[in-house]
Amino acid sequence: MTYELIALFMFASMMMLLMTGQRVFGVIGAVAVMAALPLWGTGGVEIAFAQSIKLMKWYPLLTLPMFIFMGYMLSESRIADDLYRMFHVWFGPVPGGLAIGTIGLMVIISAMNGLSVAGMAIGATIALPELLRRGYDKQMITGVIQGGSSLGILIPPSVVLVLYGMIARQPVSQLWLAGAVPGLLMAALFVIYIAVRCHFQPHLGPALTREERAEITWSQRFALLRAGILPFMIFFLMNGLFLMGITSLVESSAVGATAAMGAAIIKGRLTREVFENTVRKTLGISCMFMWIILAALCFGAVFDGLGAVKAIEGFFLDRLGLDRWQILILMQLSFLLMGTFLDDTAMLVIVAPLYVPLVKALEFDLVWYGVLYTITCQIAYMTPPFGYNLFLMRAMAPPDIRLRDIYLSVIPFVAVMILTLIIVMVFPQLALWLPAQFQGKLQG
């Protein structure tokens, strides 16, 4: 067999085994090791061992459990409840104001945890009941929560970009900075869509009544702003000190985790149950990510050894005669297709060994491509019929919100995400300008 056929057989075997429902890291790692043994004999075992050593020596990996701990601590200690009350009072008087406030809440939560699941859980438990009680349209609010929660994997500190940085061998600090402007751009476009639509169709997002507004004095409104002090302090201690060059990337994550626990103590909500749940969830998620990264590194090492990337590059460029932008668009479309039945980490570890070297060979910036990959994952998360977020929303929503409502709710928000993706593709500096400003100024 030629090396190209072996690579094709590996990829086909992996996809078939994934369809059996086995764990992603087990399938990918097993295929890599089983292919390495007949190719290189007993020395093939060393590939998996070498990749595990590489993983353990990758210092930025320490940020992973820190940020996961921070996100779950903020979620379990219900600090987001106070934030939502603040947005409720200040944005409620305008049509669609509570939905706009929910996007604002999601941006803040995203800037403090890096996981879309945490944002979804907070939105479904805090914002969704209140929005339904206020008479907001079911399709509008489920779309808002799904779209807003997806910002968690783009706005720093994004756990997905940490994984991409490990596999693509790119600095995590540069990836985080690259995701900031596109993430805020997407959030702004969400807000514009909600504001415009609710202006012309106010029944979709009714404003607070005159009587309700009269019940809240200005002194109470300003007092509620204090709810934003703790999250702002956490954000400053974590990101501000890092951008000022005072702390390194790993130190910044440790500061953020400590600050989140300190905020829970100040609020009097750090109980033994909260701490135990946070540690258990952090350990489970961190171990899962580490196994997935290890499997991806093993698979990628075997693929590199086979020269499969060169074969794929030659197939697209020489045989099909496609230019580099056409190849890039096909790659993004494949992510959308896989996103209907896989989550972001699974997609990354399956295709990263192929796509990352190909992107480099096509002379695209790998940091910029990391942002494109993340936005495409957001879209795939919300694309019917099997988008990951759709079923997560269905599990958390009350019975009167049907699956059809959830499917229809995402259409305008997916359109906004596609618009953001196109804008970032056409104007790469939206992602690359901020990293360029801090080039060589950051630690770690």
Side-chain angles (χ1 to χ4, degrees), residues 146-158:
Q146 290 180 88
S149 66
S150 70
L151 295 169
I153 64 172
L154 184 58
I155 294 177
S158 166

Side-chain angles (χ1 to χ4, degrees), residues 122-191:
I122 290 169
T125 54
I126 299 172
L128 185 59
E130 180 65 18
L131 290 166
L132 288 173
R133 191 176 71 83
R134 293 286 177 181
Y136 272 61
D137 180 73
K138 291 187 293 185
Q139 292 182 16
M140 166 69 79
I141 58 178
T142 52
V144 165
I145 292 171
Q146 290 180 88
S149 66
S150 70
L151 295 169
I153 64 172
L154 184 58
I155 294 177
S158 166
V159 171
V160 172
L161 286 175
V162 174
L163 302 182
Y164 175 85
M166 176 65 199
I167 295 172
R169 298 179 178 90
Q170 296 299 305
V172 176
S173 57
Q174 295 289 298
L175 289 166
W176 279 355
L177 291 173
V181 174
L184 293 175
L185 171 65
M186 186 183 292
L189 291 174
F190 284 158
V191 169

